[in-house]
Amino acid sequence: MSKKQVVLIGGGGHCKSVIEAIQSDEHIDFIGVVDAQKLENVLGVAYLGDDSILQDLVNQHYQFLITVGNIGAPNLRIKLFDKIKSLNGLFTTGISPNALVAKSSSIGEGTVIMQHAIVNAEVVIGKNCIINSKALLEHETTIGDHVHISTGVIVNGQCKIGNNCFIGSGSVIGNNVTIADNSIIGAGSVVLKDIKEAGTFFGQPARKFK
Ligand code: JB3
């Protein structure tokens, strides 16, 4: 199988974590990093330039991952994803060889599954998501587009997490819970009831903060 030639968009902390997570995947070659500011290199991966070179990179048929992270709203990740789409760029998926991903699950373009994450039976994950280190997604859960499930989160079975949500580190989402699009769940929260309208929620049990 030929290797995927992958360009990373955003060269900060999340990018370093993605490189560590997927560099031992023998099917991936990193071409380089695109960042708004000039960098030396990122963990040995070359700096290529700023976003003005994206069309050239698309023309060379490289595949992309958005490696700008987000705590809260994913606006920059969406903007960069849509920009590359508008240039007819192709996204790949990045799956750490240390993650456990069920064969019956499905993972959207541009999504990364970080180290020691577990994605169980019939989970469906949308595009441009971060399933961060040690997150657990249980059976038949659905994750929308541009979602960040942060480090150590537990999402139990048959949940529905809407588009653009951020679930903070260590949070627990109970079985069969639905969370509305654009919701933010603060770190360490416990969500046992549906969240029907977007907002910022925090606590055990989680309550609306704003
Ligand atoms: O929660 C965890 C474990 N990690 C967080 C991650 C998910 O999100 C981490 O703690 C950070 O808060 C955040 O990481 P991120 O996004 O890598 O943050 P930072 O280290 O600040 O790097 C952002 C990079 O994006 C910087 O190098 C910026 O120059 C670059 N950047 C900003 N705007 C951009 C743009 N790069 C491109 N190509 N285009 C832009 O428009």
Side-chain angles (χ1 to χ4, degrees):
M1 187 197 286
S2 62
K3 288 191 174 190
K4 296 190 284 191
Q5 297 192 300
V6 177
V7 173
L8 306 174
I9 309 299
H14 179 58
C15 179
K16 290 176 185 168
S17 292
V18 170
I19 291 169
E20 289 290 354
I22 65 176
Q23 67 185 353
S24 61
D25 181 341
E26 60 191 24
H27 304 301
I28 286 187
D29 258 350
F30 293 121
I31 297 302
V33 174
V34 173
D35 197 286
Q37 56 179 328
K38 191 171 183 329
L39 304 170
E40 286 299 312
N41 64 56
V42 184
L43 296 182
V45 179
Y47 173 70
L48 300 174
D50 65 19
D51 296 345
S52 64
I53 64 168
L54 288 174
Q55 184 69 72
D56 286 348
L57 296 169
V58 167
N59 294 346
Q60 292 177 75
H61 306 292
Y62 297 136
Q63 299 181 55
F64 295 86
L65 285 173
I66 305 299
T67 47
V68 169
N70 68 301
I71 303 288
N75 299 357
L76 179 57
R77 287 179 56 81
I78 295 173
K79 186 181 114 182
L80 292 167
F81 184 89
D82 288 347
K83 178 164 189 177
I84 290 171
K85 275 276 167 194
S86 74
L87 300 173
N88 293 320
L90 293 176
F91 285 88
T92 187
T93 54
I95 299 176
S96 169
N98 295 325
L100 294 177
V101 178
K103 281 184 186 156
S104 55
S105 65
S106 119
I107 296 168
E109 58 180 344
T111 286
V112 292
I113 313 287
M114 303 289 279
Q115 304 203 64
H116 297 284
I118 299 177
V119 177
N120 220 327
E122 296 184 351
V123 167
V124 176
I125 306 174
K127 60 191 180 188
N128 196 28
C129 293
I130 304 168
I131 309 301
N132 222 325
S133 312
K134 287 195 166 181
L136 166 60
L137 305 182
E138 262 303 339
H139 59 91
E140 301 156 284
T141 273
T142 302
I143 308 286
D145 297 331
H146 314 295
V147 172
H148 180 182
I149 305 289
S150 193
T151 44
V153 168
I154 296 173
V155 183
N156 280 297
Q158 299 181 328
C159 291
K160 290 187 176 62
I161 312 292
N163 296 326
N164 313 331
C165 287
F166 171 77
I167 315 291
S169 295
S171 294
V172 176
I173 316 297
N175 280 294
N176 202 24
V177 166
T178 294
I179 297 184
D181 292 351
N182 305 309
S183 298
I184 293 175
I185 310 295
S189 297
V190 175
V191 183
L192 299 176
K193 292 184 181 163
D194 290 355
I195 290 177
K196 293 185 173 138
E197 280 181 37
T200 300
F201 298 81
F202 181 72
Q204 304 177 4
R207 293 184 201 287
K208 192 159 188 178
F209 177 66
K210 63 178 181 183

